[in-house]
Each structure stands twice: as C-alpha cells, then as structure tokens.
Amino acid sequence: MYLGSWLSRLSRSLSRPIGKTTQPVWGSLSRSLTLGAQRIPEFSSFVARTNTCGELRSSHLGQEVTLCGWIQYRRQNTFLVLRDCHGLVQIIIPQDESAASVKKILCEAPLESVVKVTGTVISRPPGQKNPKMPTGEIEIRVKTAELLNACKKLPFEIKDFMKKTEALRLQYRYLDLRSFQMQYNLRLRSQIVMRMREYLCNLHGFVDVETPTLFKRTPGGAKEFLVPSREPGKFYSLPQSPQQFKQLLMVGGLDRYFQVARCYRDEGSRPDRQPEFTQIDIEMSFVDQTGIQRLIEGLLQYSWPDDKDPVEIPFPSMTFAEALATYGTDKPDIRFGMKKYVRKQDIAFIRDFATHHFSQEVLPVFLNAKRNWSSPFAKFIMEEERLELSRLMEIQEEDMVLLTAGKHEKACSLLGKLRLQCADLLEMRGVVLRDPALFSFLWVVDFPLFVTKEESPTELESAHHPFTAPNPSDIHLLYTEPEKVRGQHYDLVLNGSEIGGGSIRIHDAQLQRYILATLLKEDVKLLSHLLQALDYGAPPHGGIALGLDRLLCLVTGAPSIRDVIAFPKSYRGHDLMSSAPDSVPPEELKPYHIQVTWPADSEEENAAATPSKNLSS
Amino acid sequence: MYLGSWLSRLSRSLSRPIGKTTQPVWGSLSRSLTLGAQRIPEFSSFVARTNTCGELRSSHLGQEVTLCGWIQYRRQNTFLVLRDCHGLVQIIIPQDESAASVKKILCEAPLESVVKVTGTVISRPPGQKNPKMPTGEIEIRVKTAELLNACKKLPFEIKDFMKKTEALRLQYRYLDLRSFQMQYNLRLRSQIVMRMREYLCNLHGFVDVETPTLFKRTPGGAKEFLVPSREPGKFYSLPQSPQQFKQLLMVGGLDRYFQVARCYRDEGSRPDRQPEFTQIDIEMSFVDQTGIQRLIEGLLQYSWPDDKDPVEIPFPSMTFAEALATYGTDKPDIRFGMKKYVRKQDIAFIRDFATHHFSQEVLPVFLNAKRNWSSPFAKFIMEEERLELSRLMEIQEEDMVLLTAGKHEKACSLLGKLRLQCADLLEMRGVVLRDPALFSFLWVVDFPLFVTKEESPTELESAHHPFTAPNPSDIHLLYTEPEKVRGQHYDLVLNGSEIGGGSIRIHDAQLQRYILATLLKEDVKLLSHLLQALDYGAPPHGGIALGLDRLLCLVTGAPSIRDVIAFPKSYRGHDLMSSAPDSVPPEELKPYHIQVTWPADSEEENAAATPSKNLSS
C-alpha cells in the first residue's frame, strides 16, 4: 500500500533540485511573509520612519522618505546599503559641499552603526539596476542624516555570519539575530503560531487558557526542575506539560482548550533538546481519535507557510506494529521507501554499523540479480524459502535486501536504522531520497498502552502517560494480559521526526485508579485531585500536543532547533550570552531554606570561582 | 483642567445604575462573545454533538440534534435542563413505555452527570416560553440518551456557587470553573488577548517572540525564584519580566516585538498578587513616548469587549508631580473628583484613619457654609489666608475641605488615601462615584528617574528600572543633581489601578554604564552582555508591559485577579487543589546538589509531615 506512494514520491523527489525552498532570499522577507488574503501590516506606524528599507519599489519614485537602519555596506564613500528588518536599500551619499555634514556622518560611521536618513526615492541610472535585489530598481538621494548609535568593532561580520561557530553565535546572539536566516525563522514562527491561533480560536471556538508553571511534582517526574519556596522543605515543580491542567479544564466545562505552552524538562545534557520548550497544547471534550486527527490536519493546512507546497489532507495512518515491521521505527520517514545504488564497499560499513551500535553480530546481505541470490548466506537457504522470500518482499532485479535475525523489536529497529544509514550513503552519492521541500505527515496509531520496564521486566510502565485511555475493544485484557492492551494514543510524524502526540484520556475515575495503583504501582496521593475530579462529572475528552520547536525546525530546514528559538540554551543547558545558570550568594539561598551540597572534590575550586564572566571581555 | 471633566463624569456616573455591565447573563455567553465583524466559530466541529445547548433557537425547529452536557436541574422526572459551555436548554423526558430506558437514564443520573442526548427541537407550548432564557422558545423531545459519566455527590452545588468560601472554590477549582462567571471571565480573557494579537501582529507587523524563563539573576533581583541546575552551586532565575531579552531583540533588529509573557515574582504572602502572572510585553525600535502611547491606545480600543462602551482615545495625560499634588497618588482614579454628603460623625473616623495609618497627628477639617469656615482650625487662620485658600481651592457652598501639613509627598499621599476613604463612605450611602461601567484611562508621565533609598537616604535607586532613559532636557542634571532628573517613563492607569508601565530605554552603552555603576552602584558584571550589546549598534527603542490579570480583573469587575486566572495560587502562594508547593524526597534533591536547611524549631514537625494531602478526603 505504501510502497506505491513511496515510489511515486521518490520519483518526484528525484526530479527536484535539493534544498529548493530552504534558503530565503534576503530582501524578499516581507513579501514571503505577507498573510494570504489578509491586509499587509503597517510596519511603519508609530515610529520615526515613513517606510521600511525593504519595501521601496518603483511605485515609490519621487516620494520623500525617512528610513532608519543599520549600515550594511559602503563603497568608495559614494553609496551605502542600509538594512532594516525588511530588507536592503541603496543610499547615495551626497558629494556636494553643502551636504558635507551628511557625507561626514555617512562616511565615518562604522558598519552596523544605526542611522536615520531622509531623502527622495529616485530611479537607478540605466544599466545600474539590480534585478536580484527587491529594491534594485531604486535608490535614495539623501538630504539629511543622523547617527543614532555608532557601532564598536564587531566580534564577527554580520553578513558572513553562518560560517561562525555556534558557540560564538550564541554568545553574541543579539548580533546573530540580525542574520537573514534568524530573522526569517523567527518571523515565520510568529506567523505560523498566529495562524494556528486564528484557526483554533476564531474558526473553531477554542479558548486560550494559561495554566500554571509553578506546580507540584508528578509521579515519576524525575525530569522536573524544582523551584524552592519560602516554606522549609517545600518545592514547586516546573511541569513537563500542562497535562493535568488541560484535563481539569475539561472537567471544568471549558470544552475546547488550547495554549501555546511553555514546558520544562531537565534531561541534563542532550544534543538538540532544550530545558524549556514550547508546545501547541490542545484538549477537547466529547471527541474521539478521528476528531483530533481531523482538527490537527486542518490546523497544519491552515497555518502552513504560503511559500511551501500546500499540505495535503487527510494524512496517511499506520499502526505502531506496521511501522515497526515495515520501517523498523515508530516514526517512519515515508518520503522514501526503496534503497538503490549501494556499492559493494558500503556493505562492510553497514555490517560494522550493526555490530557496533546494536551488538547484533549477524547481518547477512543479499544481492539479487536475475532472480539469483548473490550472498554468502544463499547456500544455507532452500530454493523454496528463497522463492517465498522473494515473493513476500517483492524483490526486483538489482535490489539489495538486508536480512537479520533476533527478537522482533530489536531486529526491526536495527533494520530501520540501517535504512536511514543507506539513505545517508545514497545521498552522499547525490541521490535525493529525502527532498527537504517535501513534507510527509503520518499518523502512527495503536501503540501498546504499557511496556515492561527495562530494569525490571515483570513491572509495567506507561508507554506514553498513565492518563491514556485503553482501546475499548482491549479493556477486558487489562485484567488478564495488560501488556497486550492497545492505547488510544496517536503520534504525528513528519519526515521521520515525531512532531506531536496525544491520546483520548481516561475519564472514568475507577479505571484511572486501577491503572495507576494496581498496574503501575504509582503513588496515587500525588494525583488525588485529578482522580477526585474524574468523579465529579468528567466528560469524555482527548487531546494532543505539537512540538513547536521541532515543527519549525523541519519547516525552515534549520540544522538545529536552536535556529528557531530566539535565545536557546547550549546542549549543556547554558545561556552562553549571559552565562546562566550562575552562582548565587549564600544569603540569597537563605529565604528558600536550602544550601548547596558541594561535591567533595569541587568545593575549593567552586569557592574560588567568580560568580560571572568578567566585564572586560 | 481635570476638575471640569471630573464633574461631568461624576454627573454621568450619578445618573447610572451601579454595576450595570458586570453581571453576565448565563446563556447569553456565546452571543456576547461573538467577534465583531468576524465569522462565528464552529463550536461543534470534530465532536460527537451537532450543536451546543446554548445556541438553539426557533430557527432550529424540527432539526434533529445531538447534544452533550451536564444535567443542571431536573423537575418531577418530566424535564431537565442540560448545560454546556454555551448555555442551557430544556429537555423533555419521554414518558411512554417504549422509551423506558431513556427515561431511566435521564431520571436516575445524579445532577452534574454528563449525558449525550439525541432528539428533535420543538416549540414550547403556548404560555410556557421563557423570555429570560436565550433558548426559552424551544425544548428538545429526546429519542436516545447515553450516560457518559455519572457524578458523585458534590462538595457544593454548582449553581449556587458564589456563596462558597474562596478556599473551597480553589480546592475544587475544576468545579468552580463550571460557574457562569468563571466561564465568562476565561473566555473573555482569551478573546481580548486574541484581538490584541491581531492588532499587534496582523495590523502592525509585530513579531511574537518567546523568550526564556530559565535565566540568570538580575542585579537586585531579590524577588526572583531560583531554579537549581545539575551543576553544583549554579542556579537559574525565573525573571520578573523579559526586560533584558526584549532590549536584546531590538539590538538584534527584530524591530517590533511582543509576547504574552509569563513572569515570576516571589513576594512571599501578598493579597491579590500571584507568584506567576502574565503581561502583554511590547518593545519597538525607533519609537518615542508618544508612539508607544498611541500604539497602546489603539490596542485597547481594538481589543475592548463589544459589550462595553467603546474606549475613547487619546487618553488624558498627567505628570507625576501633578498627580501627586492633585490626587495624592501616582495612580489617580479620575472617575470622580469631588466629595459630598459626608456626615459629621464621619469626620472623627477620617481623622482616626489618618492618625492610625500615617501616624500623622493633625488633620484639621474645614466645613464651609455661606463662605464662613466652620472648623476648630478657623480661629488660627487670618481672614486674608482664608479667602486666598478658598479662591485657590474653588470652594463652593456646602463643600468640605481637608487640610493637613507635612512633607509634600507624605501629606499628599495621606490626602489621596482620604479621598478614596471618603469615596468609600459616600458609596456606602448609595452615592455612585466610581461607576464600574466607566473605564477611565490615564497616562501618568515625567516620573523622577531615581528615588532615594528609604533605608539609606544618601543612596539612589531606580524609580522603575535602571534601563529607563532620562528625559533629554534633564541629562545635564545626571552629573550634578541626579535626583532631579525625570525619566522617559510612563504609567497607564485605569480607574485608579496601574495596569501598565514602560519607558524609552537607554541605548547608549556609556550612559547605561554610568547610571548602573556610578549612580546606582550595581554590579555591572551581571549585565555585561547587555552593556556589550548596546555597543554594537543598538537602535533607539522603548516599550511597555500591560498587566493582563489586573486589566481583565477591572474589565470583568471581578473582586480579585484570582477570578480571571484559571488555576490561581492562594495569597500564600499555595495551589489549594493539588497542594503545591510540596515536599520532595531527599533523593530527588541530590541531582541538584542542594539540601534543605530546616529551621531549628520545625525540624521534627516537618520530618513527620506527610508529603501531600490524603487521598481519602
């Protein structure tokens, strides 16, 4: 079923140039960001300028304009390029004696200084128009200029920015934000979120409710940051999601809730994770799995950027079992299916990878040519089995097939990783399998409700969270074989990344108590308020959360989620600009009744450390 | 100048009934919340119902509808009233034998149980229509009914809610949220914020940027919550506002920033304050004070609820000096000016109040009748002085004037408080001075940039914050008499409450360093990143923050900001529903390298305490 659609997508992707839409053109920012049918915002209301630099066109010829911006570039003291948030415009520096003061200001100000200029929009002389620049037909004949702020020597050039190390970019984030790419990413983020709000609030009657972030620890909430209170020994927790609150809002009759919610997760150092992140958090009463899925499809279609291909809905759906068996993962990248063009020397690499990363020794490799198997493994297999396998896998001439043996989940997972490895190999050879301009959404459904704990295989834990409702047809299994129960959980996958997940929740207090106390052995006291709430007329309800940072990262084609967040933390959780987290004088800890427990070997070292970086850098 | 406008407002307010628009009528919720010219949202998309209970009218006659809701009321097993988020509708319980199962479900389910019913919209019999109920012309003849969740015995009745103690309401917040008033407040809040976003983002090109809440402590940030990190002795702080980030965004060329920002302030126990709160946070480049004021006036006018009188703009403006001299406060309630109808026995009360609250002994009281002064103080004053005072204060017949002596600020402040006391006295007598349906905005400007520290009068501290730019005409005073410098700060006052404040910021690094280090004696190392940023081409910029909770509190006429927040903390900072903050097992503190410092007398007590409330409540 999916093979056909993969192949057609593959052929589409092969016929496209790679990276088509991921590089925004500086200067076209404001055009690409104008809202579909809506009016264009007034970008110059309430301020000293009459226009933005980037918006000027031939239609403005003859107008006197006041512009404010940064000096991007200057040539031979005759013209300079002024930049603001909407693009670039060329300014002619006056050369006549009467304008000596204007010339002095514009020629002496260092690059990246901020100036205000007033002048007339004129046409560029014939032959000097620049068709690559949105304002390339015009230039500004300046009358007055004012230096608003001079720039000191920069740690790096703005225009050459992307070549700097990420640590340097994060340390001078306020300069990094001036780059074309960061401006584009943050403005697109704002716009997509605004459209999501319009869809949810204005079109579908959702209520935007802010829920607290100073909350109580949740059972098993080992990844929750703590916030000491002024009461000795009492702590707030920063929750990983508004899960309990959104369910309580449904009990409270709010009916349709959403929030662009700040969430917190303390995972220590993890690449491409952030200690605080944002999710589009949604909950509805009287809804089923299909209702949530149609809502989200509509949401993404409505908020999708105009400069990308429209989102096609409904999204395909696949069970967890099918995803694991077919793709070896619960988040398949369905942009591509088959593997081709792998060379002999790659095979050793692939086998090494499997041994190294999965400690799984055997990786028999089959090459099929003219229906014969070329493999060291071929001689161990009967002719009948070979034909049956060829039929099951629909092997074509020139195909390569990778086989392995082992426990189902582990073997599938290995092959899934190898599939991505092969895609990497092929793309290194120039075969475009994963077109960045193609966005393939997929629902993955029918997850198991519980998994066995790795460290203690006789105990169960929730596959997602303990509030997920079981599949109604599996409820009887809860009391006999709970590990076989499927949950009403759904994940949304985009190009091989999980961008959202949700579930229909348990609204029956007795069932929730049984699952928490009997099956999961959790401390129900921590959740007594939620259990009580379910007793007082809780409506059936369900919801979902979309990871906004990850979604934006995929939409913009950014290499990291740090590129779609204004002030991200480093992978160690540091703010490299302000050096947070920072030392705190002991007297500021006193009101919170805590003290630092210094590790034995670092005590002296820390006592000597300065609380923050030196000013004279 | 303001006296005339007060008087005209006073007469307006006297001619109006008190509390005109603050009590929403249940059932009219969805009507009053429909957006001006915009389409009405689809409240029943994606879910099991065809319609909401509250939307049904005569125009739906004959339609088969499916409704989901709570059983609000039942009479004689013949009909019941079903409630959902949009209102109430009457359901006829079928009495014929063939519908026995439907009757059983509807008659046996306890009140507040959740049911789904399908039936036909029919006209109520003549004489039984209820004009007070928006759905009062119709009722539902039910065919099928399903019990979705039965309700256990409630701790209080939903419909009679407002008489319960606030502690009980907060403990069962999910039930409290079902009340008409809380539904109205939260939906209005969502709608006002959505309109603000439309105005800022869609009409004026603002970019919604999320800034971190895990940050670094700020100089003098004694009210900042701390968040221990996994590095020994290193802490994040939860900032009181995104002040530094919004300025850095301007340095980064974002041009127009806004955020509905979660802020944190640890003030211990304070009535009507919340440890986390929300502000509409705004910053613009190349703007002046007037630009910000016009922006905010437009914002409030655009987002103002349709069921209130439109906001008139521009708002009046008053200097801090004038506000203090005239109203004895920096946040005057300009809905009323004069005081009348005070009885003799009130005067003792007023004098007691002054002595008690201000330790200010003398409060001479003058009563004027036919130009003669009736006061124990009259004999100490010369005829000439008396006439001059009468002229200055424009004393009319029957006026009462309160005089006091002392330092300007203290004396004014006392009289300002007495003015509000007199208003209370008069309103107890039924004179409406402060019409809750009247919204009087006022800008207060020209605040001093610094104030002397109370505990050390030779030292200065910022009147608002150290980033506020001085008034350009006062800059020379910075180096001679800094206490006389006025700041480019503006407060927005509504009906005597400060609902916002902002300033034009310092964009010159040298000036900022001088103010921080030389005048304020702050540790500039904590702000080195900001000072550095100002050196690299920071544009002139300014902004404002509106307190959303306070604004909504005034708009809805709620007695407390807790009534416009879904899950507020108690005045001691507790979540009474979940009992946060809570104890944390010592092993969960270990990764953060902290331990609790128990106060000597509470150690045993706390060691014995259970970590959370008992489940069996």
Side-chain angles (χ1 to χ4, degrees):
Chain A
M1 173 190 168
Y2 289 100
L3 194 69
S5 88
W6 290 340
L7 285 173
S8 71
R9 281 168 192 221
L10 177 61
S11 66
R12 267 175 73 192
S13 72
L14 285 169
S15 64
R16 281 186 192 204
I18 197 161
K20 178 183 149 240
T21 61
T22 52
Q23 285 301 320
V25 180
W26 197 215
S28 69
L29 202 57
S30 62
R31 271 192 309 174
S32 69
L33 287 174
T34 52
L35 297 168
Q38 297 183 30
R39 60 185 280 192
I40 296 171
E42 290 173 30
F43 290 107
S44 300
S45 46
F46 309 114
V47 290
R49 65 176 175 245
T50 60
N51 296 78
T52 64
C53 297
E55 73 174 308
L56 296 173
R57 298 286 183 279
S58 290
S59 57
H60 297 88
L61 281 178
Q63 288 186 17
E64 179 163 305
V65 296
T66 299
L67 307 174
C68 296
W70 286 259
I71 301 176
Q72 168 97 354
Y73 179 78
R74 181 167 40 219
R75 194 164 65 189
Q76 295 162 346
N77 289 348
T78 55
F79 70 85
L80 59 78
V81 172
L82 195 65
R83 186 193 72 235
D84 69 10
C85 57
H86 287 273
L88 309 168
V89 71
Q90 182 162 298
I91 307 281
I92 305 299
I93 301 174
Q95 303 296 329
D96 46 315
E97 198 59 41
S98 65
S101 66
V102 172
K103 182 175 181 182
K104 188 175 154 69
I105 287 169
L106 294 180
C107 293
E108 290 183 1
L111 294 188
E112 291 302 316
S113 293
V114 190
V115 295
K116 180 164 98 171
V117 297
T118 299
T120 310
V121 182
I122 58 171
S123 189
R124 291 199 192 184
Q128 290 186 28
K129 300 193 176 179
N130 181 351
K132 286 186 192 156
M133 195 177 177
T135 64
E137 299 215 322
I138 58 100
E139 55 194 9
I140 310 294
R141 191 196 290 136
V142 166
K143 289 194 190 107
T144 67
E146 184 184 344
L147 178 65
L148 297 176
N149 211 354
C151 181
K152 281 204 178 169
K153 178 149 178 47
L154 292 174
F156 46 75
E157 278 186 66
I158 304 291
K159 62 179 174 185
D160 198 14
F161 193 69
M162 299 306 275
K163 289 179 199 158
K164 304 300 169 275
T165 67
E166 195 180 18
L168 196 65
R169 290 176 54 200
L170 290 178
Q171 188 187 343
Y172 297 98
R173 189 59 160 183
Y174 44 87
L175 296 179
D176 186 32
L177 291 177
R178 292 184 192 166
S179 71
F180 306 161
Q181 189 68 55
M182 282 307 302
Q183 291 273 330
Y184 176 84
N185 290 357
L186 293 183
R187 285 165 194 276
L188 186 69
R189 180 180 179 127
S190 169
Q191 192 179 92
I192 285 180
V193 171
M194 186 64 197
R195 288 215 196 169
M196 287 181 168
R197 292 177 178 282
E198 288 168 3
Y199 176 86
L200 291 169
C201 200
N202 294 353
L203 300 190
H204 292 288
F206 279 74
V207 188
D208 178 7
V209 181
E210 299 166 65
T211 59
T213 55
L214 294 173
F215 191 44
K216 173 198 178 86
R217 73 194 173 97
T218 43
K223 291 174 178 173
E224 288 175 354
F225 285 103
L226 295 172
V227 181
S229 79
R230 287 172 188 257
E231 286 174 69
K234 301 277 177 133
F235 295 82
Y236 298 104
S237 282
L238 300 177
Q240 291 188 47
S241 89
Q243 182 64 34
Q244 292 183 48
F245 290 112
K246 64 198 231 178
Q247 293 194 240
L248 291 166
L249 286 171
M250 295 305 104
V251 180
L254 258 290
D255 197 57
R256 298 176 163 220
Y257 145 89
F258 86 100
Q259 183 182 194
V260 181
R262 189 69 57 91
C263 304
Y264 300 85
R265 190 164 46 206
D266 180 19
E267 299 182 296
S269 299
R270 286 279 295 269
D272 226 27
R273 286 284 181 101
Q274 289 285 312
E276 51 185 318
F277 57 97
T278 305
Q279 65 188 36
I280 309 292
D281 200 49
I282 287 172
E283 196 80 7
M284 295 174 87
S285 293
F286 312 113
V287 75
D288 62 9
Q289 183 163 318
T290 308
I292 296 284
Q293 289 178 344
R294 294 300 90 82
L295 172 83
I296 295 303
E297 288 161 358
L299 174 75
L300 287 164
Q301 188 179 55
Y302 184 88
S303 59
W304 205 245
D306 294 334
D307 62 354
K308 314 264 179 244
D309 289 342
V311 170
E312 283 170 37
I313 61 171
F315 303 154
S317 182
M318 192 182 288
T319 66
F320 168 72
E322 189 182 352
L324 184 65
T326 322
Y327 291 91
T329 175
D330 60 357
K331 34 182 187 287
D333 188 339
I334 58 168
R335 281 177 298 178
F336 69 104
M338 304 304 290
K339 289 140 277 197
K340 292 179 183 175
Y341 310 116
V342 175
R343 293 182 195 166
K344 289 247 172 182
Q345 66 263 41
D346 295 332
I347 292 163
F349 171 81
I350 289 169
R351 298 185 69 170
D352 274 2
F353 177 86
T355 323
H356 210 77
H357 288 80
F358 282 76
S359 319
Q360 182 131 357
E361 182 53 63
V362 280
L363 178 79
V365 177
F366 292 6
L367 282 170
N368 166 304
K370 300 191 184 167
R371 301 265 161 203
N372 289 318
W373 286 18
S374 160
S375 164
F377 183 69
K379 59 187 168 190
F380 301 112
I381 217 158
M382 311 266 285
E383 171 72 9
E384 252 171 67
E385 290 167 326
R386 193 168 60 77
L387 288 173
E388 179 65 9
L389 274 169
S390 295
R391 195 185 61 78
L392 279 173
M393 293 183 293
E394 304 176 27
I395 302 178
Q396 306 290 320
E397 268 189 39
E398 303 286 317
D399 277 1
M400 180 185 87
V401 176
L402 302 177
L403 293 187
T404 189
K407 277 191 76 175
H408 182 68
E409 192 173 331
K410 200 178 169 191
C412 290
S413 183
L414 164 62
L415 290 174
K417 288 273 168 42
L418 288 180
R419 175 172 168 268
L420 297 178
Q421 279 291 324
C422 289
D424 287 348
L425 283 170
L426 291 174
E427 288 183 345
M428 277 163 57
R429 304 266 150 73
V431 183
V432 181
L433 287 177
R434 294 169 293 195
D435 180 0
L438 195 66
F439 295 93
S440 292
F441 291 96
L442 173 74
W443 290 109
V444 180
V445 299
D446 282 355
F447 283 84
L449 191 57
F450 306 108
V451 291
T452 53
K453 287 189 185 171
E454 221 168 293
E455 67 281 15
S456 162
T458 56
E459 291 177 57
L460 294 179
E461 61 186 354
S462 297
H464 291 95
H465 61 54
F467 314 113
T468 304
N471 189 312
S473 54
D474 294 353
I475 283 193
H476 61 285
L477 294 170
L478 275 176
Y479 307 94
T480 53
E481 298 171 283
E483 68 282 358
K484 290 198 178 163
V485 175
R486 290 164 302 162
Q488 292 192 63
H489 177 93
Y490 28 86
D491 268 358
L492 181 58
V493 174
L494 171 57
N495 292 357
S497 289
E498 182 195 324
I499 59 160
S503 59
I504 301 303
R505 327 296 184 185
I506 298 167
H507 64 274
D508 180 273
Q510 208 181 331
L511 177 60
Q512 183 71 76
R513 252 188 218 104
Y514 174 75
I515 286 180
L516 280 170
T518 309
L519 294 182
L520 297 172
K521 318 259 188 284
E522 290 284 5
D523 179 4
V524 286
K525 273 187 283 184
L526 285 173
L527 288 169
S528 57
H529 51 284
L530 186 68
L531 287 165
Q532 209 168 29
L534 296 183
D535 263 336
Y536 292 139
H541 61 289
I544 194 167
L546 302 181
L548 185 63
D549 307 302
R550 175 68 50 206
L551 175 64
L552 257 294
C553 188
L554 292 167
V555 171
T556 58
S560 153
I561 58 168
R562 293 183 292 279
D563 292 310
V564 297
I565 295 172
F567 298 100
K569 303 282 193 297
S570 73
Y571 83 100
R572 288 186 64 203
H574 290 186
D575 179 330
L576 299 181
M577 181 181 68
S578 72
S579 23
D582 200 2
S583 304
V584 166
E587 65 268 22
E588 289 187 21
L589 299 180
K590 268 190 193 159
Y592 299 108
H593 308 279
I594 56 167
Q595 54 181 307
V596 176
T597 323
W598 294 104
D601 57 339
S602 71
E603 198 156 351
E604 285 173 43
E605 188 188 323
N606 274 282
T610 50
S612 58
K613 68 180 173 183
N614 202 300
L615 180 63
S616 57
S617 57
Chain B
M1 173 191 170
Y2 291 100
L3 195 68
S5 88
W6 291 341
L7 285 172
S8 72
R9 283 167 192 223
L10 177 61
S11 67
R12 266 176 73 194
S13 74
L14 285 169
S15 64
R16 280 187 194 202
I18 197 161
K20 178 185 148 244
T21 61
T22 50
Q23 285 301 317
V25 180
W26 195 215
S28 70
L29 201 56
S30 62
R31 272 192 309 177
S32 69
L33 287 174
T34 52
L35 297 168
Q38 298 183 29
R39 60 185 280 193
I40 296 170
E42 291 173 29
F43 290 107
S44 299
S45 45
F46 310 113
V47 290
R49 64 177 176 245
T50 59
N51 296 78
T52 63
C53 296
E55 74 175 307
L56 296 173
R57 298 287 183 277
S58 289
S59 57
H60 296 88
L61 281 178
Q63 289 185 16
E64 180 164 305
V65 296
T66 300
L67 307 173
C68 296
W70 286 260
I71 300 175
Q72 167 99 353
Y73 179 77
R74 180 168 41 218
R75 195 164 64 190
Q76 296 163 343
N77 289 347
T78 56
F79 71 83
L80 60 78
V81 171
L82 196 65
R83 185 193 74 234
D84 68 11
C85 57
H86 288 271
L88 309 168
V89 71
Q90 181 163 298
I91 306 280
I92 304 300
I93 301 174
Q95 303 295 329
D96 44 317
E97 197 59 38
S98 65
S101 66
V102 172
K103 182 174 181 182
K104 188 174 154 69
I105 288 169
L106 295 180
C107 292
E108 291 183 0
L111 294 188
E112 290 302 316
S113 294
V114 190
V115 294
K116 180 164 99 172
V117 297
T118 299
T120 309
V121 182
I122 58 172
S123 190
R124 292 198 192 186
Q128 290 187 28
K129 299 194 175 178
N130 182 351
K132 286 187 190 154
M133 194 176 176
T135 63
E137 300 214 320
I138 58 98
E139 56 194 9
I140 310 294
R141 189 197 290 137
V142 167
K143 288 193 192 109
T144 66
E146 184 184 346
L147 178 65
L148 297 176
N149 211 354
C151 182
K152 283 205 177 169
K153 177 146 178 49
L154 293 173
F156 47 75
E157 278 186 67
I158 304 293
K159 63 180 175 185
D160 198 14
F161 195 68
M162 299 306 275
K163 289 176 197 159
K164 304 301 169 275
T165 67
E166 195 181 19
L168 196 63
R169 289 177 54 200
L170 290 178
Q171 187 186 344
Y172 297 97
R173 189 58 160 184
Y174 44 88
L175 296 179
D176 186 32
L177 292 177
R178 293 185 192 166
S179 70
F180 305 161
Q181 190 67 55
M182 282 307 302
Q183 290 273 331
Y184 177 84
N185 291 357
L186 292 184
R187 283 164 196 276
L188 187 69
R189 180 180 179 126
S190 170
Q191 191 179 90
I192 286 180
V193 171
M194 186 65 198
R195 289 216 197 168
M196 287 181 167
R197 292 177 178 281
E198 288 167 3
Y199 176 85
L200 292 169
C201 199
N202 293 353
L203 300 189
H204 292 289
F206 279 75
V207 188
D208 178 6
V209 182
E210 299 166 65
T211 59
T213 55
L214 293 174
F215 191 45
K216 173 197 177 91
R217 72 195 173 95
T218 43
K223 291 173 180 172
E224 288 174 353
F225 286 103
L226 295 172
V227 182
S229 78
R230 286 174 188 255
E231 286 173 69
K234 301 276 176 135
F235 295 81
Y236 299 103
S237 282
L238 298 178
Q240 290 189 50
S241 88
Q243 182 63 35
Q244 292 184 47
F245 290 112
K246 65 199 230 176
Q247 293 194 238
L248 291 167
L249 286 172
M250 295 304 105
V251 180
L254 259 289
D255 197 61
R256 299 177 163 218
Y257 145 89
F258 87 102
Q259 183 182 196
V260 180
R262 188 70 57 89
C263 303
Y264 299 86
R265 191 163 46 206
D266 179 21
E267 299 182 297
S269 299
R270 286 278 295 269
D272 227 25
R273 286 283 180 101
Q274 288 285 312
E276 51 185 318
F277 56 98
T278 304
Q279 65 188 35
I280 308 292
D281 199 50
I282 287 171
E283 197 79 9
M284 294 173 86
S285 293
F286 312 113
V287 75
D288 62 9
Q289 181 162 321
T290 309
I292 296 284
Q293 289 177 345
R294 294 300 90 82
L295 171 82
I296 294 303
E297 288 161 357
L299 174 75
L300 287 164
Q301 190 179 54
Y302 184 88
S303 59
W304 205 244
D306 294 333
D307 62 353
K308 314 264 179 242
D309 289 344
V311 169
E312 283 171 36
I313 63 171
F315 302 155
S317 183
M318 191 183 284
T319 66
F320 168 74
E322 190 182 352
L324 184 65
T326 323
Y327 291 91
T329 175
D330 60 357
K331 37 182 184 286
D333 188 339
I334 58 168
R335 281 177 297 179
F336 69 103
M338 305 302 292
K339 290 138 280 206
K340 291 179 182 175
Y341 311 115
V342 175
R343 293 182 194 165
K344 289 246 172 181
Q345 64 262 43
D346 295 331
I347 291 160
F349 170 81
I350 288 170
R351 297 184 69 171
D352 275 2
F353 178 87
T355 323
H356 208 77
H357 289 79
F358 284 77
S359 318
Q360 183 130 357
E361 184 53 62
V362 279
L363 177 79
V365 176
F366 291 7
L367 281 171
N368 166 303
K370 299 189 186 169
R371 301 267 159 203
N372 288 319
W373 286 20
S374 159
S375 163
F377 184 69
K379 58 189 171 191
F380 302 112
I381 217 160
M382 312 265 286
E383 173 70 8
E384 253 172 67
E385 292 168 324
R386 194 168 59 76
L387 287 173
E388 179 65 6
L389 274 170
S390 295
R391 193 185 61 78
L392 279 171
M393 292 184 295
E394 304 175 28
I395 301 178
Q396 307 290 319
E397 268 191 39
E398 303 286 316
D399 276 1
M400 178 184 90
V401 175
L402 302 178
L403 291 187
T404 189
K407 277 191 75 174
H408 181 67
E409 190 174 332
K410 200 177 170 192
C412 289
S413 182
L414 164 62
L415 290 174
K417 288 273 167 42
L418 288 179
R419 175 173 168 270
L420 296 178
Q421 279 292 324
C422 289
D424 287 348
L425 285 169
L426 292 174
E427 289 183 345
M428 278 163 57
R429 304 266 151 72
V431 183
V432 181
L433 288 177
R434 294 170 292 196
D435 179 359
L438 196 66
F439 294 94
S440 292
F441 290 95
L442 174 73
W443 290 110
V444 180
V445 300
D446 283 354
F447 284 85
L449 191 57
F450 305 108
V451 293
T452 53
K453 287 188 186 173
E454 221 166 292
E455 67 280 13
S456 163
T458 56
E459 292 177 56
L460 295 178
E461 60 186 353
S462 296
H464 290 95
H465 61 56
F467 314 113
T468 304
N471 190 311
S473 54
D474 293 355
I475 282 192
H476 62 285
L477 294 171
L478 274 176
Y479 308 93
T480 53
E481 298 170 284
E483 68 283 358
K484 290 198 177 163
V485 175
R486 290 164 302 162
Q488 292 191 63
H489 177 94
Y490 27 87
D491 267 357
L492 182 58
V493 174
L494 171 57
N495 292 358
S497 289
E498 181 196 325
I499 59 158
S503 60
I504 302 302
R505 326 296 184 186
I506 298 167
H507 65 274
D508 180 274
Q510 209 181 331
L511 177 61
Q512 183 69 76
R513 251 186 219 105
Y514 175 77
I515 287 180
L516 280 170
T518 309
L519 295 181
L520 297 173
K521 316 261 190 281
E522 289 287 3
D523 179 3
V524 284
K525 274 188 283 184
L526 285 173
L527 288 169
S528 57
H529 52 284
L530 185 69
L531 288 166
Q532 209 169 29
L534 296 182
D535 263 337
Y536 293 139
H541 61 286
I544 194 168
L546 302 181
L548 184 63
D549 307 303
R550 176 68 50 208
L551 175 63
L552 258 292
C553 187
L554 292 166
V555 171
T556 58
S560 154
I561 58 167
R562 293 184 292 279
D563 292 310
V564 295
I565 296 172
F567 298 100
K569 302 284 193 298
S570 74
Y571 83 99
R572 287 187 63 203
H574 289 186
D575 178 331
L576 300 181
M577 182 181 66
S578 72
S579 26
D582 200 2
S583 304
V584 166
E587 65 269 21
E588 289 187 20
L589 299 180
K590 268 190 192 159
Y592 299 107
H593 307 280
I594 56 167
Q595 54 182 305
V596 177
T597 324
W598 293 103
D601 57 340
S602 72
E603 197 157 349
E604 284 173 45
E605 189 187 323
N606 273 282
T610 49
S612 58
K613 68 179 172 183
N614 201 298
L615 179 63
S616 58
S617 61

